[in-house]
């Protein structure tokens, strides 16, 4: 870098004519701007400023679209693999189940059932178990009712231990005993000061209790949290669940060491001495009594299989596959619907696109070759349907195509069709194709027209004067030049068609619906959102691939609306 | 036949007996068949009457009457025949059929069918030319017919979705405004109308403000990652609605809860905010595309000139740039408006019952309890779209004039 002092005058400082002087001098230094800095950096600065200004103008919208559009789509993609519900609802069971091998033992051992009792107890109180049930029901039908049934009975599980603890010492019935053992000082003071306003103070365990009785402490903390949040009650006044006694029994009989300075140490030591003689309860038998599906290896395999926080299960489901012990396999024939739907969506979109080309090409050609005034008049006939509400056009087609509709009436009236043998034009694929061709036709005509307008008439004339027949002149000279228009229109129509929902829903019946109708069904009726997200993700990939092709052929900047 | 009548002199006309007459008789038979069915004469009688009328007209008209009065005569004769056969409705039907027949007589006998083709064109080429015109006409008919059919049906006095015999006989009793009355008095329709009129303008304002600014930014010469930014901004138009709706469904349900809990907004208000924001995102690509297209023709030296004369950036924008790109901004805004006003899928997923819009109500109406009030609403909406189309078209021409392009 150089500066103004390299000039012959050896001026110090910058003057407005410094750049000029340097320019006039013999030295061949860098060209300088008016303020004396090098022209290059000055221009760079100006360019940077310009870029910043442009970006600042774009920024608000970019931010808006990123937050309200791109992020939601990303979230949807995330939901198609997300599967935290099993791990979150049954945290203990998932851990215990990790070692279970379905090929070795039919049904997991007692620890798993004990963990399930505790998890289910929490889940029932938080009303999560039905959600989990319906989630797993997507993978194995019957699980939903299994969880619902078990949820009703699980709070009695472990009662044997509660009764025996209480029989041993009535102090075990007193909530204060548990508070004394488990509750931390901070929570106790905060809870005492709670006046009924706002959320209750969050329950905290006493320090150290984790090390002595970890499982029981965790269970009691869950209990206290649920009592506070779900029931809005004070845990200091509530008798703990049977599951807490179950956990305590298990830990005491497993030989937990109670330090001498532990709260209620005497009571705990007395209980520990007695637990060896306690009557026990077979939790597994209890579960199987409620529903024998708990003895079914498949149920456990599903729980184990879906315990990971992420799953490909929804995607497998979306292409009619399923996870089996022997790896990925096809679903039974009668459950395969999505591949059929995807193929049907593709075939019907292709049919609609072809129909649009067939109908749009002559019209676009006519308009491109008419004088401007007449072409504009015809253009209005194309733009009117384009501007008319989609619902209006769809209802119009419903009116036209019905069994008692205008077209059938007309046919019967002319005598082409017998009155008792009216054509079935609606609630099938025919209805969808007719209505959607009409709705999407302007999207084909407009790009075709804008391409055809640029094809000079003289080419065809030249071809004819060189001896080409009308057909050859069209096919060899005109048509190749109009192909970009066909490509642009086809991709536009195809992309729009495969994502259509409203029109197939109304005129498509069951045989004329698209994959989008299935997505909407899963969002609003079956509530299998993960599967909806997976289907949406697959559709999105198809559309993006087509869009990429569109960009290669026409370029996104060249999208035109209404000529 | 005198050659003087031939507009495409140089090519002798085809002989009347072997060309025009048989075609006219066939045409008359078809029209007669339709007329006979309509008037209840039966197909055979109708066809016979049609053939006779066609034969008479074919022989008499071209010889003795010039085209204009000849066609009126044909219309009149068929009108009277229709009146005799079927009253007022018959008269109107007869007039239409007569006008068609009269036109066909002169079109075939005077060689008008060769208009628009070069003199040297062969018969096959002439035939193809006319067939092509006919095909195009049929396609335009396909485009317009469903929309036009809805309009008379909306005046149906019955709860039917098709033309009743009374309507076909043009019985005034068979027409009524009851579906319009229902639309403008029934709360099930008024509330959605109100919602649509709240949501669409708000969404339009957001899209137009943000979209115009961004389009101006995008049209400057040095924008880093221009293509990527453009792709992101256009994406709401490219991604199928059902996918956008699914994504927005998850996003806005959480956002709604958040707004209710932390901002303390009422359920209704959050509902409107959610739908307005969602619709604004959908409308933005249209604003970007139209405004960018307008800015292509904008002469950047104008802003430099303004700056040179001492105008600040804000003044330059409002006094120089804005008036010139206003047509583009307005038509982009109209696109955004109609996008929101027509939109069903997203509002179905994002909104609650309190935000039910007009298309949503139409959608449920079409799916469940089908009521002809929908047709009245459809007719009103067709009128709205005709108005919007007119405005956009006028703006487009004005913008082209301003930019010195073709007068359109």
């Amino acid at each position: 870098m150089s500066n103004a002092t390299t000039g012959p005058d050896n001026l110090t400082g910058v003057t407005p004519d410094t750049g000029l002087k340097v320019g006039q001098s013999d030295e061949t230094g860098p060209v300088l701007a008016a303020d004396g800095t090098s022209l290059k950096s000055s221009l760079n600065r100006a360019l940077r400023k310009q870029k910043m200004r442009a970006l600042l103008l774009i920024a608000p919208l970019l931010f808006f679209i990123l937050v309200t559009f791109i992020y939601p789509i990303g979230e949807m993609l995330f939901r198609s693999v997300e599967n935290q519900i099993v791990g979150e609802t049954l945290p203990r069971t998932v851990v215990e189940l990790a070692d279970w091998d379905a090929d070795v033992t039919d049904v997991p051992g007692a620890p798993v059932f004990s963990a399930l009792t505790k998890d289910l107890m929490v889940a029932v109180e938080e009303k999560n178990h039905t959600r989990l049930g319906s989630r797993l029901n997507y993978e194995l039908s019957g699980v939903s009712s299994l969880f619902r049934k078990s949820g009703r009975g699980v709070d009695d599980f472990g009662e044997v231990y509660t009764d025996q603890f209480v029989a041993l010492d009535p102090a075990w019935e007193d909530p204060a005993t548990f508070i004394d053992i488990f509750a931390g000082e901070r929570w106790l003071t905060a809870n005492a000061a709670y006046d009924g306003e706002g959320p209750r103070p969050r329950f905290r365990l006493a320090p150290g209790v984790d090390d002595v009785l970890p499982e029981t402490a965790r269970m009691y903390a869950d209990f206290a949290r649920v009592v506070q949040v779900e029931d809005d009650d004070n845990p200091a006044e509530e008798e703990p669940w049977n599951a807490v006694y179950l956990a305590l029994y298990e830990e005491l009989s497993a030989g937990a060491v109670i330090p001498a300075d532990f709260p209620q140490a005497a009571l705990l030591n007395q209980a520990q001495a007695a637990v060896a003689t306690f009557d026990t309860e077979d939790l597994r038998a209890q579960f199987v009594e409620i529903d024998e599906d708990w003895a079914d290896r498949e149920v456990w395999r599903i729980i184990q299989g879906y315990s990971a926080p992420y799953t490909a299960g929804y995607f497998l489901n979306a292409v009619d596959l399923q996870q089996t012990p022997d790896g990925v396999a096809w679903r039974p024939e009668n459950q395969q619907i999505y591949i059929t739907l995807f193929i049907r969506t593709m075939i019907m979109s292709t049919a609609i696109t072809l129909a649009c080309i067939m109908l749009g090409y002559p019209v676009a050609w006519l308009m491109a070759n008419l004088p401007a005034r007449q072409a504009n008049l015809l253009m209005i006939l194309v733009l009117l349907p384009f501007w008319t509400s989609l619902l209006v056009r769809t209802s119009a087609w419903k009116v036209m195509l019905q069994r008692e509709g205008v077209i059938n009436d007309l046919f019967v009236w002319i005598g082409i069709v017998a009155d008792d043998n009216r054509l079935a034009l609606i609630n099938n694929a025919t209805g969808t194709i007719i209505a959607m061709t009409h709705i999407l036709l302007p999207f084909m005509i407009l790009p075709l027209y804008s391409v055809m307008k640029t094809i000079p008439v003289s080419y065809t004339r030249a071809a004819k004067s060189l001896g080409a027949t009308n057909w050859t002149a069209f096919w060899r000279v005109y048509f190749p030049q109009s192909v970009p228009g066909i490509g642009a229109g086809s991709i536009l129509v195809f992309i729009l068609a495969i994502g259509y929902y409203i029109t197939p829903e109304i005129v498509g019946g069951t045989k004329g619906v698209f994959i989008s109708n299935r997505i909407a069904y899963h969002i609003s009726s079956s509530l299998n959102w993960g599967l909806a997200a997976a289907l949406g993700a697959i559709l999105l990939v198809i559309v993006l691939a087509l869009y990429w092709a569109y960009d290669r052929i026409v370029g996104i900047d060249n999208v035109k609306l209404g000529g | 036949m005198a050659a003087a009548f031939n507009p495409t002199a140089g090519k002798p006309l085809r002989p009347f007996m072997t060309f025009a007459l048989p075609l006219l008789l066939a045409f008359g038979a078809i029209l007669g068949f339709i007329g006979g069915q309509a008037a209840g004469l039966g197909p055979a009688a109708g066809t016979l009457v049609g053939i006779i009328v066609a034969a008479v007209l074919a022989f008499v008209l071209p010889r003795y009457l010039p085209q204009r009065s000849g066609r009126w005569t044909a219309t009149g004769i068929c009108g009277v025949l229709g009146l005799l056969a079927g009253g007022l409705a018959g008269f109107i039907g007869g007039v239409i059929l007569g006008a068609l027949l009269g036109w066909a007589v002169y079109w075939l006998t005077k060689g008008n069918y060769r208009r628009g083709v070069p003199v040297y064109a062969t018969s096959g080429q002439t035939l193809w030319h006319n067939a092509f015109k006919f095909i195009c006409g049929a396609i335009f008919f396909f485009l317009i017919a469903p929309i036009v059919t809805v309009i008379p049906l909306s005046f149906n006095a019955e709860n039917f979705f098709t033309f009743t015999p009374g309507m076909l006989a043009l019985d005034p009793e068979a027409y009524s405004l009851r579906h319009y009355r229902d639309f403008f008095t029934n709360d099930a329709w008024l509330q959605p109308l109100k919602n649509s009129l709240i949501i669409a303008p708000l969404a339009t304002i957001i899209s137009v403000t943000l979209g115009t600014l961004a389009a101006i930014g995008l049209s400057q010469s040095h924008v880093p990652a221009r293509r990527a930014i453009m792709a992101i901004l256009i994406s709401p138009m490219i991604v199928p609605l059902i996918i956008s709706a699914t994504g927005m469904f998850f996003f806005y349900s959480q956002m709604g809860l958040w707004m209710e809990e932390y901002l303390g907004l009422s359920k209704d208000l959050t509902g409107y905010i959610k739908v307005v924001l969602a619709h604004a995102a959908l409308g933005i690509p249209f604003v970007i595309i139209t405004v960018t297209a307008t800015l292509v023709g904008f002469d950047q030296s104008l802003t430099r000139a303004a700056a040179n004369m001492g105008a600040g950036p804000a003044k330059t924008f409002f006094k120089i740039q804005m008036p010139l790109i206003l047509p583009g901004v307005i038509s982009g805004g109209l696109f955004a408006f109609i996008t929101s006003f027509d939109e069903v899928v997203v509002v179905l997923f994002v909104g609650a019952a309190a935000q039910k819009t007009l298309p949503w109500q139409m959608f449920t109406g079409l799916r469940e309890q089908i009521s002809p009030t929908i047709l009245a609403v459809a007719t009103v909406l067709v009128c709205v779209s005709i108005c919007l189309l007119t405005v956009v078209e006028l703006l487009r021409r004005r913008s082209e004039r301003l930019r010195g392009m073709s007068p359109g």
Side-chain angles (χ1 to χ4, degrees):
Chain A
M1 272 291 174
S2 153
N3 59 43
T5 54
T6 52
D9 313 4
N10 285 329
L11 271 179
T12 52
V14 178
T15 60
D17 61 343
T18 313
L20 193 65
K21 280 184 183 164
V22 175
Q24 286 164 343
S25 71
D26 303 335
E27 294 280 320
T28 49
V31 186
L32 297 192
D35 61 354
T37 54
S38 105
L39 184 63
K40 197 173 159 194
S41 68
S42 177
L43 279 176
N44 273 341
R45 205 173 55 220
L47 189 65
R48 227 176 11 249
K49 216 168 139 189
Q50 203 181 357
K51 277 186 186 172
M52 281 308 295
R53 202 166 54 214
L55 280 184
L56 274 180
L57 284 171
I58 301 169
L61 181 63
L62 194 60
F63 176 76
F64 180 74
I65 291 284
L66 284 176
V67 171
T68 66
F69 192 80
I70 304 292
Y71 170 75
I73 294 210
E75 196 193 354
M76 181 200 81
L77 295 180
F78 175 69
R79 263 179 198 268
S80 64
V81 292
E82 187 248 31
N83 183 49
Q84 278 148 358
I85 183 167
V86 181
E88 275 171 10
T89 318
L90 304 175
R92 299 173 181 84
T93 317
V94 164
V95 172
E96 291 291 339
L97 206 53
D99 304 331
W100 176 66
D101 188 345
D103 297 329
V104 180
T105 45
D106 261 6
V107 175
V112 172
F113 281 97
S114 156
L116 181 66
T117 311
K118 297 168 198 159
D119 285 338
L120 211 51
M121 191 62 221
V122 180
V124 167
E125 292 295 323
E126 288 184 322
K127 299 168 194 73
N128 278 340
H129 68 299
T130 45
R131 265 182 58 212
L132 176 64
S134 21
R135 163 67 188 97
L136 290 176
N137 205 51
Y138 303 143
E139 314 301 337
L140 185 71
S141 52
V143 180
S144 181
S145 72
L146 175 67
F147 271 90
R148 223 175 313 117
K149 259 201 253 172
S150 312
R152 285 197 289 267
V154 76
D155 53 341
D156 292 337
F157 289 12
E159 202 172 2
V160 179
Y161 304 107
T162 314
D163 292 346
Q164 291 178 93
F165 271 109
V166 173
L168 199 65
D169 192 321
W172 284 116
E173 212 170 3
D174 186 4
T177 314
F178 285 89
I179 290 291
D180 204 16
I181 301 176
F182 294 107
E185 277 302 321
R186 260 178 64 196
W187 177 78
L188 278 173
T189 34
N191 194 45
Y194 177 71
D195 57 357
E197 290 295 314
R200 289 175 178 272
R202 205 177 130 221
F203 180 80
R204 277 166 208 282
L205 286 170
V209 68
D210 269 6
D211 306 327
V212 181
L213 298 167
E215 257 315 302
T216 320
R218 187 172 162 204
M219 197 62 225
Y220 189 78
D222 276 342
F223 158 76
R225 178 174 49 85
V226 169
V227 164
Q228 286 189 312
V229 175
E230 297 295 323
D231 309 340
D232 197 16
D233 276 329
N234 186 356
E237 292 158 10
E238 296 292 316
E239 206 177 321
W241 302 328
N242 292 328
V244 177
Y245 292 94
L246 170 68
L248 186 60
Y249 163 77
E250 280 172 354
E251 280 189 313
L252 288 179
S253 53
V257 183
I258 312 293
D261 59 343
F262 203 66
Q264 304 282 359
L267 198 62
L268 283 166
N269 281 326
Q270 178 209 16
Q272 191 163 29
V275 285
T277 62
F278 271 16
D279 290 337
T280 57
E281 181 181 13
D282 186 355
L283 289 169
R284 183 185 146 172
Q286 295 255 40
F287 271 107
V288 174
E289 195 181 311
I290 287 186
D291 194 318
E292 55 192 17
D293 276 357
W294 284 117
D296 184 357
R297 185 173 11 182
E298 277 310 304
V299 171
W300 287 104
R301 204 185 333 239
I302 289 292
I303 295 178
Q304 192 185 33
Y306 285 90
S307 54
Y310 299 99
T311 173
Y314 292 121
F315 275 102
L316 293 178
N317 213 332
V319 289
D320 290 335
L321 292 170
Q322 63 181 352
Q323 199 98 39
T324 63
D326 319 317
V328 176
W330 290 103
R331 281 181 172 263
E333 285 283 325
N334 56 356
Q335 289 178 23
Q336 293 187 10
I337 48 172
Y338 297 109
I339 292 277
T340 326
L341 262 181
F342 270 114
I343 293 175
R344 184 199 291 162
T345 307
M346 288 292 160
I347 291 178
M348 285 178 60
S349 302
T350 314
I352 290 162
T353 312
L354 288 178
C356 281
I357 297 177
M358 304 273 288
L359 297 182
Y361 199 91
V363 166
W365 188 89
L366 185 74
M367 288 198 302
N369 287 287
L370 277 180
R373 187 166 289 277
Q374 289 174 40
N376 273 334
L377 217 64
L378 290 182
M379 186 52 109
I380 287 174
L381 295 185
V382 177
L383 288 179
L384 182 62
F386 182 75
W387 276 90
T388 307
S389 166
L390 171 69
L391 260 299
V392 172
R393 286 180 282 168
T394 310
S395 17
W397 278 111
K398 181 141 189 163
V399 169
M400 303 273 286
L401 296 174
Q402 278 185 84
R403 188 160 277 274
E404 304 295 323
V406 175
I407 290 186
N408 262 318
D409 275 359
L410 193 69
F411 283 171
V412 168
W413 183 67
I414 295 176
I416 304 176
V417 171
D419 196 12
D420 51 357
N421 189 24
R422 288 169 174 248
L423 301 177
L425 295 169
I426 205 168
N427 294 335
N428 53 24
T430 322
T432 309
I433 291 181
I434 296 178
M436 283 184 61
T437 303
H438 175 255
I439 287 166
L440 295 175
L441 189 52
F443 290 96
M444 177 64 81
I445 295 177
L446 295 176
L448 266 177
Y449 174 68
S450 61
V451 168
M452 285 179 178
K453 273 233 44 119
T454 63
I455 304 175
V457 199
S458 47
Y459 289 4
T460 336
R461 285 192 194 142
K464 281 185 192 165
S465 79
L466 289 171
T469 61
N470 276 350
W471 170 250
T472 319
F474 168 75
W475 184 245
R476 302 281 298 277
V477 176
Y478 191 88
F479 183 77
Q481 296 182 79
S482 67
V483 164
I486 297 181
S490 306
I491 291 175
L492 197 58
V493 168
F494 194 83
I495 287 179
L496 286 168
I498 61 172
Y500 247 58
Y501 162 59
I502 297 295
T503 311
E505 181 76 22
I506 288 174
V507 298
T510 49
K511 288 283 171 204
V513 293
F514 283 11
I515 196 74
S516 8
N517 301 72
R518 203 69 199 167
I519 297 179
Y521 164 77
H522 283 307
I523 289 281
S524 50
S525 303
S526 85
L527 306 184
N528 189 352
W529 294 344
L531 183 56
L535 290 171
I538 296 175
L539 192 59
L540 183 64
V541 168
I542 298 173
V543 168
L544 286 182
L546 287 170
Y547 174 55
W548 178 79
Y550 183 85
D551 191 28
R552 295 310 295 267
I553 297 172
V554 228
I556 37 171
D557 299 356
N558 294 339
V559 189
K560 282 212 182 81
L561 297 167
Chain B
M1 227 158 309
F5 282 112
N6 188 356
T8 54
K11 184 98 180 173
L13 278 172
R14 287 175 154 272
F16 174 73
M17 277 307 201
T18 56
F19 175 70
L21 185 64
L23 282 177
L24 279 173
L25 291 185
F27 192 56
I30 295 171
L31 293 186
F33 173 80
I34 295 173
Q37 281 289 80
L41 296 176
T47 313
L48 197 65
V49 172
I51 292 176
I52 294 169
V53 172
V56 170
L57 291 178
F59 275 111
V60 175
L61 287 183
R63 270 167 222 255
Y64 302 110
L65 287 170
Q67 194 168 145
R68 224 178 140 74
S69 50
R71 282 170 67 175
W72 279 114
T73 314
T75 311
I77 292 172
C78 292
V80 171
L81 283 178
L83 190 65
L84 293 177
L88 180 62
F91 175 71
I92 291 181
V95 163
I96 295 171
L97 295 183
L100 279 173
L101 196 58
W103 168 81
V105 165
Y106 285 94
W107 191 66
L108 285 169
T109 55
K110 301 291 175 191
N112 289 354
Y113 57 90
R114 288 193 74 93
R115 225 181 240 166
V117 288
V119 187
Y120 49 81
T122 60
S123 312
Q125 285 168 349
T126 316
L127 181 65
W128 167 245
H129 174 83
N130 286 307
F132 182 77
K133 271 190 172 170
F134 179 76
I135 292 170
C136 287
I139 296 170
F140 280 114
F141 180 76
F142 171 72
L143 270 172
I144 292 297
I147 299 170
V148 174
T149 313
V150 167
I151 297 173
L153 278 180
S154 68
F155 295 100
N156 198 338
E158 306 281 338
N159 262 338
F160 290 141
F161 268 96
T162 189
F163 291 97
T164 56
M167 291 181 87
L168 292 174
L170 295 181
D171 180 5
E173 294 283 303
Y175 291 87
S176 86
L177 289 171
R178 54 180 283 207
H179 303 308
Y180 289 87
R181 218 171 296 131
D182 186 40
F183 175 38
F184 287 111
T185 51
N186 191 343
D187 237 17
W189 286 101
L190 279 182
Q191 183 60 32
L193 177 66
K194 212 175 94 192
N195 281 338
S196 277
L197 290 178
I198 293 174
I199 291 168
L202 288 178
T204 310
I205 290 172
I206 297 179
S207 325
V208 169
T209 320
L210 295 179
T212 308
L213 281 183
I216 291 172
L218 277 170
S219 70
Q220 305 203 341
S221 40
H222 301 284
V223 183
R226 186 169 185 277
R227 285 182 66 80
I229 291 175
M230 193 72 177
I232 290 175
L233 297 187
I234 301 284
S235 60
M237 196 174 79
I238 302 299
V239 175
L241 264 184
I242 188 80
I243 297 176
S244 318
T246 310
M248 286 174 169
F249 167 74
F250 297 133
F251 174 74
Y252 281 112
S253 54
Q254 293 160 19
M255 188 175 137
L257 287 180
W258 181 80
M259 282 196 294
E260 277 167 40
E261 197 157 315
Y262 290 95
L263 303 183
L265 303 177
S266 76
K267 210 171 170 58
D268 268 6
L269 185 61
T270 48
Y272 282 112
I273 294 178
K274 277 151 55 174
V275 177
V276 165
L277 289 180
H279 276 182
L282 293 182
I284 276 167
F286 297 97
V287 179
I288 295 269
I289 288 172
T290 37
V291 178
T292 321
T294 319
L295 280 167
V296 169
F298 179 76
D299 189 354
Q300 288 291 343
S301 55
L302 289 176
T303 51
R304 274 183 233 126
N308 207 6
M309 292 182 210
K315 192 163 187 176
T316 314
F317 175 73
F318 284 111
K319 291 277 176 191
I320 308 293
Q321 200 163 17
M322 200 58 194
L324 281 171
I325 62 169
L326 197 61
V329 174
I330 294 178
S331 53
L334 288 176
F335 269 109
F337 181 84
I338 203 84
T339 307
S340 165
F341 197 73
D342 267 3
E343 209 289 322
V344 207
V345 189
V346 167
V347 75
L348 211 55
F349 280 22
V350 171
Q355 286 84 44
K356 197 175 233 189
T357 58
L358 207 50
W360 182 351
Q361 175 65 23
M362 289 179 81
F363 180 61
T364 37
L366 279 174
R367 241 189 356 183
E368 288 144 26
Q369 28 92 33
I370 193 157
S371 118
T373 309
I374 289 174
L375 299 183
V377 182
T379 309
V380 172
L381 289 183
V382 169
C383 296
V384 171
S385 39
I386 291 176
C387 295
L388 287 181
L389 173 62
T390 317
V391 174
V392 171
E393 200 56 18
L394 290 177
L395 284 172
R396 192 178 61 85
R397 290 186 189 181
R398 186 184 132 84
S399 152
E400 281 181 359
R401 244 197 341 270
L402 280 180
R403 282 150 52 188
M405 288 163 72
S406 68

